[in-house]
Amino acid sequence: MEEEEEARALLPGGSPAAPAPLPALCDPRRLAHRLLVLLLMCFLGFGSYFCYDNPAALQIQVKQDMQVSTTQFMLLYAWYSWPNVVLCFLGGFLIDRVFGIRWGTIIFSCFVCVGQVIFALGGIFNAFWLMEFGRFVFGVGGESLAVAQNTYAVSWFKGKELNLVFGLQLSMARVGSTVNMNLMGWLYSRMEAALGSAGHSTLGATLLLGGVTCVLSLACALVLAYLDRRAERLLHREQGRTGEVIRLTDVKDFSLPLWLIFLVCVCYYVAIFPFIGLGKVFFIEKFGFSSQAASAINSIVYVISAPMSPVFGLLVDKTGRNIVWVLCAVAATLAAHVMLALTLWNPWIAMSLLGVSYSLLACALWPMVAFVVPEHQLGTAYGFMQSIQNLGLAVISILAGVLLDTRGYLFLELFFIACVSVSLLAVVLLYVVNRARGGNLNYSAKRREEMKLSHTE
């Protein structure tokens, strides 16, 4: 009876005797309530992104305290990526058909929390294998939590607000990464002072304290589940779903432009995330930066991405020409890596350019999948794209560690330049193939709208 009375109070046309309307913050139809939900959605992934780059922020400490090589250190990133070679396919399916969005989000958040705790315990007990296992468990939850976050966004904000919501979520993710890069080194030094000495126990305690952000994200998942269930009951709407059924057989139908998009994606991102994972020591050794300054410059990619992602998303929405924007982004990234490898120019220039190009590419590349794939294959296409991206990151993370141990930073940077060059070549081929086939990847926004109207008529 109480639920029925609450529903009548919130919905128009309730009986005159119904209770007075609840405040706007409690009404799922009102903007204030939706903004509260958006805030929770943004913080839902904060802990995952904060802890993902804990190794990068503590690269020196991890190698010294755990007495591991760079190759072993990069396994901490590889073990995160390995489970997602498979789980990127299955995340949407598990949310749709097994757990539901609410339980799925809570379960994946728990994986993130447990993984971070195991990672920290590996430091406390001086067991690097346990740290690797912790990163594996963390990876099981991390990418699938991002799928759940996107599903919530579609459920609550589908329509004209959705692009802005995705941009804000991406911005908060980058804020989490930025805070990590600039906080964890300082936190380690405070723990060192408190415990009286550096060592694996100090490292483990620092990582455990950083895991508080994952608990914050789990709390957001629990509150979101309550609010979503309440809105479902009051507004009589269905639970949020990805809307896609994973069919592996769809892969055989993928077109050449889609495979080129995959190639651009893999070859581009393997020159970004592994580089950031190793960047702090690079800036210390080549440019003579202090540890704090090196952390700051290593995080500038994320600092720039946070505010620029929504801006570039709007720019690409208004102009179209996705291939041209991707070409500009990849070319700028190539220029940034060349500057870092072959010059002694102030690295703030190259890293700022890298931050801008990274933000632009994400906004222009990922939407292109929807232009070349039928709607019923979108889930499979995006799942496959994320899977091969994680496969590339897992393999290249290990290879980057080996190259750094055996050949040094210059050779590693030349390797990253080669990867971005392959990505640039793939973009050029994509432009040629799209033009030869009369594709719509490089249409202006105006022409796409005209094509959409002509199809509806």
Side-chain angles (χ1 to χ4, degrees):
M1 288 295 295
E2 291 180 1
E3 293 179 0
E4 293 177 0
E5 290 177 359
E6 186 179 6
R8 283 200 303 271
L10 289 175
L11 297 173
S15 64
L22 292 175
L25 196 63
C26 299
D27 185 346
R29 299 169 304 142
R30 303 288 293 274
L31 177 62
H33 186 85
R34 287 152 61 82
L35 290 176
L36 172 62
V37 170
L38 176 60
L39 182 65
L40 291 169
M41 286 181 192
C42 289
F43 276 102
L44 180 63
F46 182 87
S48 174
Y49 285 100
F50 178 91
C51 291
Y52 170 78
D53 266 326
N54 276 178
L58 297 172
Q59 180 185 350
I60 298 173
Q61 293 87 342
V62 170
K63 292 174 66 176
Q64 288 179 349
D65 296 345
M66 304 305 296
Q67 297 181 342
V68 295
S69 65
T70 307
T71 303
Q72 292 171 297
F73 168 79
M74 289 303 289
L75 286 172
L76 297 175
Y77 283 98
W79 279 113
Y80 174 93
S81 296
W82 284 125
N84 292 300
V85 173
V86 176
L87 282 176
C88 284
F89 267 124
L90 298 180
F93 175 80
L94 291 173
I95 289 171
D96 267 351
R97 302 302 177 90
V98 182
F99 302 131
I101 177 62
R102 294 188 284 267
W103 276 111
T105 305
I106 292 170
I107 289 170
F108 294 139
S109 295
C110 287
F111 268 103
V112 168
C113 288
V114 172
Q116 181 67 13
V117 170
I118 295 173
F119 181 46
L121 290 176
I124 292 173
F125 294 117
N126 196 24
F128 191 72
W129 68 267
L130 191 59
M131 296 183 78
E132 292 177 290
F133 178 66
R135 290 291 286 184
F136 179 87
V137 175
F138 185 85
V140 169
E143 296 292 317
S144 295
L145 182 61
V147 174
Q149 187 179 30
N150 291 340
T151 306
Y152 262 131
V154 172
S155 176
W156 279 85
F157 296 97
K158 54 189 171 188
K160 62 182 180 180
E161 301 165 321
L162 189 58
N163 286 336
L164 177 60
V165 169
F166 277 130
L168 290 172
Q169 287 183 343
L170 180 61
S171 294
M172 182 55 70
R174 299 306 168 230
V175 168
S177 300
T178 303
V179 174
N180 159 73
M181 289 289 189
N182 292 282
L183 178 65
M184 290 302 287
W186 175 85
L187 193 59
Y188 181 93
S189 64
R190 299 282 75 77
M191 293 301 298
E192 182 182 353
L195 296 177
S197 64
H200 61 85
S201 298
T202 301
L203 175 65
T206 304
L207 293 171
L208 196 61
L209 196 56
V212 171
T213 58
C214 298
V215 178
L216 170 66
S217 293
L218 176 58
C220 290
L222 294 169
V223 177
L224 261 177
Y226 167 75
L227 293 179
D228 190 67
R229 182 176 181 275
R230 180 173 176 272
E232 180 184 34
R233 185 184 72 238
L234 297 178
L235 304 181
H236 307 291
R237 63 170 173 80
E238 292 187 4
Q239 211 185 133
R241 299 181 182 275
T242 63
E244 303 296 340
V245 179
I246 300 300
R247 289 187 293 269
L248 297 183
T249 54
D250 288 341
V251 173
K252 72 180 188 307
D253 299 323
F254 287 169
S255 62
L256 178 58
L258 183 60
W259 286 108
L260 288 172
I261 291 172
F262 292 163
L263 183 59
V264 173
C265 173
V266 173
C267 292
Y268 183 86
Y269 283 108
V270 297
I272 299 295
F273 295 124
F275 170 73
I276 292 175
L278 296 168
K280 181 176 179 179
V281 177
F282 171 68
F283 295 118
I284 292 174
E285 292 189 1
K286 179 171 181 177
F287 297 98
F289 281 32
S290 66
S291 178
Q292 185 175 359
S295 294
I297 192 170
N298 201 33
S299 67
I300 193 64
V301 173
Y302 296 142
V303 171
I304 291 175
S305 180
M308 293 307 294
S309 291
V311 174
F312 281 137
L314 185 61
L315 175 65
V316 176
D317 277 343
K318 294 296 185 183
T319 61
R321 307 292 183 189
N322 289 63
I323 297 181
V324 171
W325 289 118
V326 171
L327 183 65
C328 292
V330 176
T333 300
L334 181 60
H337 273 294
V338 168
M339 280 189 275
L340 290 169
L342 305 178
T343 75
L344 289 174
W345 297 352
N346 191 320
W348 284 99
I349 301 171
M351 292 300 288
S352 297
L353 182 60
L354 194 63
V356 171
S357 57
Y358 166 74
S359 305
L360 178 58
L361 180 120
C363 296
L365 180 68
W366 290 83
M368 286 202 292
V369 174
F371 298 145
V372 296
V373 173
E375 187 173 349
H376 73 275
Q377 292 180 336
L378 273 178
T380 307
Y382 276 119
F384 192 82
M385 189 171 179
Q386 287 182 285
S387 291
I388 62 172
Q389 179 189 357
N390 277 283
L391 177 61
L393 289 173
V395 173
I396 297 302
S397 292
I398 297 172
L399 183 57
V402 172
L403 288 175
L404 186 54
D405 280 337
T406 58
R407 299 298 184 90
Y409 275 106
L410 176 60
F411 199 92
L412 179 64
E413 266 299 298
L414 293 176
F415 173 72
F416 287 144
I417 289 172
C419 290
V420 181
S421 298
V422 174
S423 183
L424 184 63
L425 178 61
V427 178
V428 174
L429 288 175
L430 179 62
Y431 177 85
V432 172
V433 171
N434 178 75
R435 188 175 179 85
R437 296 187 176 190
N440 63 350
L441 291 178
N442 211 38
Y443 280 175
S444 66
K446 182 180 180 181
R447 186 170 182 190
R448 281 188 185 139
E449 189 63 30
E450 290 172 351
M451 295 290 291
K452 183 178 178 180
L453 291 174
S454 65
H455 285 148
T456 55
E457 293 172 359

